[in-house]
């Protein structure tokens, strides 16, 4: 029997999801026996949903690196993270980036929100010095107007359609204070290398591409796919809501960072 490509892909991705779940289950059992800090770290499946890998060492390293790169992005506009009163990690997952920032700046009020209810429940139990909430896939956020003076969104706008991005930009504008800063990571031109030639042509002409994939169906929400931006598109579209203060190519290593101001 010869399977057509859609059927073969469906079978492959179903097996892939089962393999991921089995790997996370196995790693969970190993860490319970071998890591003294096991109870203080998020479980493997929560880590996988944040970064595409269940490795605890990689989870911790990426969190540290991302926190440092956020600080560097702020320094590029003459600010330090310690100068802010309250920060929101929009799409915080299980706290990969927020934990090192909370450790570095214990006097700054730290908040996190995510659509992943299991991740937020874990944060509420284990990260007691922060405040966490579950948000819906579409606005509004559960926060009053002008609640924060710094918001960062790491690997969030890299997975949303153009329409959802505009809606969330407007919502972030609502909850950030006047002169507040919003940092967004995107898949810029340095991430286009593995795309098919037709997709690259589309990006150069239109500036935005939203690729849908069934790979993580059943692990991530159905609306969570992969978005790519050109710098010109970001500076044109994002500036309809915010002032674009800085655009840092490879500011997050693989992703670009955009620093916005209300």
């Amino acid at each position: 029997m010869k399977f057509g490509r859609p059927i073969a892909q469906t079978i492959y991705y179903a097996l892939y999801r089962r393999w991921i779940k089995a790997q996370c289950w196995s790693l969970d059992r190993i860490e319970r026996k071998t890591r003294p800090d096991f109870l203080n770290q998020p479980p493997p499946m929560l880590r996988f949903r944040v970064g595409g890998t269940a490795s605890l060492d990689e989870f911790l390293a990426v969190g540290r690196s991302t926190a440092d790169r956020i600080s560097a992005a702020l320094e590029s506009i003459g600010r330090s993270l310690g100068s802010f009163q309250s920060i929101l990690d929009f799409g915080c997952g299980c706290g990969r980036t927020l934990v090192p920032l909370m450790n570095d700046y214990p006097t700054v009020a730290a908040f996190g929100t995510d659509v992943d209810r299991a991740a937020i429940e874990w944060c509420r139990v284990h990260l007691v010095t922060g405040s966490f909430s579950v948000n819906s896939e579409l606005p509004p956020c559960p926060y009053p107007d002008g609640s924060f003076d710094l918001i960062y969104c790491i690997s969030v706008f890299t997975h949303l359609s153009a329409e959802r991005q505009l809606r969330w930009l407007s919502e972030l504008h609502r909850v950030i204070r006047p002169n507040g800063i919003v940092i967004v990571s995107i898949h810029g031109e340095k991430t286009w290398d593995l795309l098919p030639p037709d997709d690259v042509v589309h990006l150069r002409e239109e500036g935005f591409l939203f690729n849908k994939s069934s790979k993580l169906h059943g692990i991530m929400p159905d609306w969570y796919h992969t978005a790519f931006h050109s710098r010109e598109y970001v500076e044109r579209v994002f500036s309809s809501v915010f002032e674009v203060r800085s655009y840092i190519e490879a500011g997050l290593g693989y992703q670009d960072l955009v620093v916005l101001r209300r």
Side-chain angles (χ1 to χ4, degrees):
M1 180 177 181
K2 184 177 181 180
F3 290 115
R5 185 176 180 184
I7 297 176
Q9 285 184 338
T10 299
I11 295 172
Y12 168 79
Y13 289 140
L15 293 173
Y16 171 78
R17 291 190 294 271
R18 291 183 65 180
W19 179 81
I20 288 297
K21 292 176 181 179
Q23 291 295 306
C24 289
W25 181 89
S26 176
L27 186 57
D28 181 84
R29 295 302 181 271
I30 293 171
E31 289 180 353
R32 287 177 183 272
K33 297 178 180 179
T34 62
R35 295 200 69 118
D37 60 346
F38 169 79
L39 292 177
N40 296 322
Q41 303 298 342
M45 182 54 78
L46 293 186
R47 303 196 302 256
F48 178 83
R49 292 208 290 260
V50 167
T53 173
S55 166
L56 179 56
D57 290 338
E58 186 169 342
F59 174 86
L60 296 173
V62 172
R64 177 70 267 169
S65 173
T66 302
D68 292 342
R69 289 175 182 270
I70 288 172
S71 295
L74 291 171
E75 290 171 3
S76 76
I77 61 167
R79 299 291 302 271
S80 67
L81 201 144
S83 68
F84 294 94
Q85 296 179 356
S86 60
I87 62 174
L88 172 66
D89 184 331
F90 180 77
C92 66
C94 50
R96 179 176 66 174
T97 300
L98 193 56
V99 167
L101 289 177
M102 290 168 65
N103 292 335
D104 291 346
Y105 303 96
T107 62
V108 178
F111 295 78
T113 189
D114 203 287
V115 296
D116 189 336
R117 184 174 296 275
I120 292 299
E121 289 174 354
W122 186 90
C123 289
R124 285 172 171 166
V125 171
H126 294 87
L127 307 180
V128 294
T129 59
S131 299
F132 298 92
S133 66
V134 178
N135 66 267
S136 300
E137 63 182 78
L138 292 171
C141 286
Y143 301 111
D145 296 358
S147 294
F148 311 100
D149 50 5
L150 174 64
I151 301 173
Y152 62 85
C153 316
I154 302 302
S155 294
V156 175
F157 281 61
T158 52
H159 297 287
L160 301 179
S161 67
E163 186 271 338
R164 284 177 184 266
Q165 290 189 22
L166 283 173
R167 292 182 67 173
W168 278 115
L169 281 172
S170 296
E171 177 66 1
L172 296 178
H173 187 274
R174 180 185 70 81
V175 298
I176 195 76
R177 294 168 189 161
N179 297 312
I181 300 298
V182 175
I183 299 177
V184 177
S185 76
I186 63 159
H187 286 135
E189 189 167 351
K190 292 184 180 297
T191 69
W192 301 357
D193 292 348
L194 298 180
L195 291 173
D198 288 349
D199 285 352
V200 175
V201 170
H202 177 88
L203 274 163
R204 296 202 183 281
E205 292 177 349
E206 304 295 331
F208 182 81
L209 176 69
F210 188 58
N211 271 348
K212 293 189 175 183
S213 169
S214 58
K215 182 178 181 180
L216 295 181
H217 177 70
I219 296 178
M220 304 301 292
D222 289 341
W223 46 264
Y224 184 96
H225 295 283
T226 307
F228 299 87
H229 302 72
S230 71
R231 178 170 182 168
E232 184 279 332
Y233 176 93
V234 169
E235 293 178 337
R236 172 171 51 85
V237 174
F238 286 26
S239 64
S240 67
V241 183
F242 288 97
E243 174 192 358
V244 179
R245 286 294 311 276
S246 180
Y247 186 103
I248 308 168
E249 293 185 359
L252 205 61
Y254 184 67
Q255 299 178 18
D256 296 350
L257 285 180
V258 188
V259 184
L260 309 168
R261 183 173 73 93
R262 177 178 172 183

